[in-house]
Each structure stands twice: as C-alpha cells, then as structure tokens.
C-alpha cells in the first residue's frame, strides 16, 4: 500500500492480498494513471468464520492491474418472487447449465419486528443499539412500515448456505430497487453481493463476500446522499 508520487510512492502499509479480498475504490490516485486510491478496514489477525467491518480507517493506493472492479464482473440476472418480498439473483452466464442447477442468491425482505426488541438510546433520543448491535438505515425513531433483511440464501450445486445472523443483523430499510443492488462473481468460489440501502443521511452501503458458498465478510459504511 503506497501513497502518491509526491511522497515518492512511499510504502505506508503492507496487507496480505488474497484472491477475492475486497477494498473500496475511492478515486484515481492523485497524479497517477496506473494507480487507484482505496479505503479498507483494519484486518483482524484472528481468523473467524465471519467478520463485519464497520470502519474503513485505512487508505492508500494500489496498482489497478492487481484488482478487479466488482461492478464490472459478470452480473447475475435479477428478479423478484411472486409475493414481491424476495429478490432473486441467478447466474445465467453459462446457458449450458440447466436452470435448476445455476447458482442463486436470494434475499428475503420482510416487515421489521425491531419495535419489540431492546433499544438503547443516547440523551438526544438517537437509537444507539437494538439488541446490543448498531442499527443501520434509521436514526431517532423506527419509521412506520420499516422493513429489514430477514435472510440471505446462497444456492449452489453441491453446496450452499444461509447467511449467519451476524451478517444481516439490524440492516433496516433495504432497497428493492435493482439499480442499487447487484450480485457479481469472480468465479464460482468468489461471489459478491452489494446494496445501497436507506435514504438521505441514513443511507448506507454494504458489500458481502461469499466464498465457496458461505458468507465470509461484510463491509458496511454510511454513504449519505
């Protein structure tokens, strides 16, 4: 990880880049043509089955030849369930694979029951936690008709899973607009799901990494309009 050429491309950090690792692209690196500026979380030394990163507190530039842009990878085909409460993304990149055997990612969105859960607020009434976990997409009160992600399922031939609860906890006001959500894949073992949820000052962006059919990590951060 380096900084711009004014500092002679000084190395400011070293990260173990493994195939499928995710970073957040910010902009072209200042004064550079082959480098891009990214933000990324502080990686934990301890290996865990799943980790949620809520802070992008590190930044620098990497050579763009070392990375792939998620939104430029092959996109899964989006559709909705008959009841309109589930978003379905299907990998139709290989027409030779029978439809029933194609990889799918299914997101179930239902009315929230957060009003029945334990809330912690600050002196100004801002909701700090629900069930001891930070909420996303809300601020001072629970809006009427609020929705949340109830489950995310990965369906792949021979493997698949349901996202662990920690990967979808307190994610309110999820988008139903396919312009703000997508599923792409680097290959069968590396799938990415991204969403821009909420609105106004409560808008947030989240990106999950799915490896070998299971959710491995999530980057989530505020992105006000």
């Amino acid at each position: 990880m380096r900084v711009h050429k004014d500092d002679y491309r000084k190395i400011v950090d070293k990260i173990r880049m493994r195939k499928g690792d995710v970073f957040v692209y910010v902009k072209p690196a200042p004064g550079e043509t082959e480098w891009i500026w990214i933000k990324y979380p502080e990686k934990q030394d301890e290996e865990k089955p799943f980790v949620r990163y809520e802070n992008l507190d590190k930044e620098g530039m990497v050579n763009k030849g070392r990375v792939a842009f998620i939104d430029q990878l092959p996109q899964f085909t989006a559709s909705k369930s008959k009841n309109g409460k589930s978003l379905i993304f299907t990998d139709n990149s290989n027409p030779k694979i029978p439809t029933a055997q194609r990889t799918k990612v299914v997101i179930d969105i239902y009315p929230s029951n957060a009003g029945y859960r334990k809330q912690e607020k600050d002196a100004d009434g801002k909701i700090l936690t629900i069930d001891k976990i930070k909420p996303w997409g809300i601020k001072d009160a629970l809006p009427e008709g609020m929705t949340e992600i109830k489950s995310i399922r990965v369906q792949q031939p021979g493997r698949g899973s349901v996202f662990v609860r920690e990967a979808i906890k307190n994610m309110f006001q999820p988008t139903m607009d396919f312009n703000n959500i997508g599923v792409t894949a680097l290959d069968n073992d590396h799938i990415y799901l991204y969403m821009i949820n909420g609105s106004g000052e409560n808008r947030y962006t989240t990106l999950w990494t799915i490896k070998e059919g299971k959710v491995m990590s999530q980057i989530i951060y505020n992105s006000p309009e």
Side-chain angles (χ1 to χ4, degrees):
M1 188 64 56
R2 300 175 183 266
V3 293
H4 51 78
K5 64 182 181 181
D6 291 344
D7 289 318
Y8 303 99
R9 297 196 181 122
K10 178 183 177 182
I11 295 176
V12 292
D13 192 14
K14 292 185 178 181
I15 52 179
R16 183 177 58 184
M17 293 183 70
R18 295 174 296 189
K19 183 177 181 179
D21 280 356
V22 173
F23 310 94
V24 176
Y25 168 70
V26 180
K27 59 185 178 182
E32 301 284 351
T33 57
E34 300 301 318
W35 298 75
I36 59 173
W37 199 266
I38 66 170
K39 289 187 176 182
Y40 58 102
E42 180 74 57
K43 292 293 184 74
Q44 299 181 3
D45 293 332
E46 180 184 359
E47 292 287 340
K48 294 183 178 181
F50 171 80
V51 59
R52 172 183 279 187
Y53 297 107
E54 298 184 0
N55 295 302
L56 298 172
D57 47 11
K58 307 194 77 174
E59 59 184 301
M61 67 181 194
V62 295
N63 192 289
K64 63 183 182 182
R66 300 286 300 279
V67 301
F69 293 93
I70 286 176
D71 61 345
Q72 296 177 12
L73 294 174
Q75 291 270 349
F76 283 27
T77 302
S79 62
K80 290 184 180 180
S81 62
K82 291 182 179 179
N83 66 6
K85 294 182 178 180
S86 297
L87 308 178
I88 305 168
F89 294 85
T90 306
D91 181 7
N92 290 323
S93 60
N94 186 350
K96 295 182 179 180
I97 298 177
T99 301
Q101 298 179 19
R102 296 177 186 178
T103 297
K104 291 185 175 70
V105 176
V106 182
I107 306 166
D108 300 317
I109 298 174
Y110 281 80
S112 174
N113 64 359
Y116 298 99
R117 299 188 227 156
K118 185 177 180 180
Q119 300 178 22
E120 178 187 4
K121 299 183 178 182
D122 64 13
D124 297 323
K126 178 183 178 181
I127 300 174
L128 298 176
T129 65
I130 297 178
D131 287 346
K132 299 182 179 181
I133 302 295
K134 178 180 177 179
W136 294 87
I138 59 174
K139 185 178 179 182
D140 299 330
L142 303 180
E144 184 177 352
M146 184 175 77
T147 58
E148 67 178 297
I149 295 176
K150 286 297 184 182
S151 68
I152 299 178
R153 293 168 279 142
V154 182
Q155 301 173 4
Q156 280 190 308
R159 66 187 181 195
S161 66
V162 178
F163 275 27
V164 295
R165 184 62 184 162
E166 291 84 352
I168 58 172
K169 185 74 172 179
N170 289 356
M171 296 192 61
F172 302 117
Q173 306 295 65
T175 185
M176 298 291 287
D177 182 353
F178 288 137
N179 290 319
N180 291 327
I181 180 173
V183 177
T184 64
L186 190 61
D187 51 43
N188 284 335
D189 291 336
H190 300 89
I191 299 172
Y192 306 98
L193 163 59
Y194 59 89
M195 301 178 76
I196 302 174
N197 298 326
S199 61
E201 63 178 349
N202 296 319
R203 193 179 77 159
Y204 62 99
T205 297
T206 182
L207 191 153
W208 292 273
T209 299
I210 302 165
K211 184 177 180 180
E212 298 177 356
K214 295 182 179 181
V215 63
M216 302 300 294
S217 65
Q218 176 187 23
I219 292 176
I220 185 169
Y221 58 96
N222 288 318
S223 53
E225 294 172 339

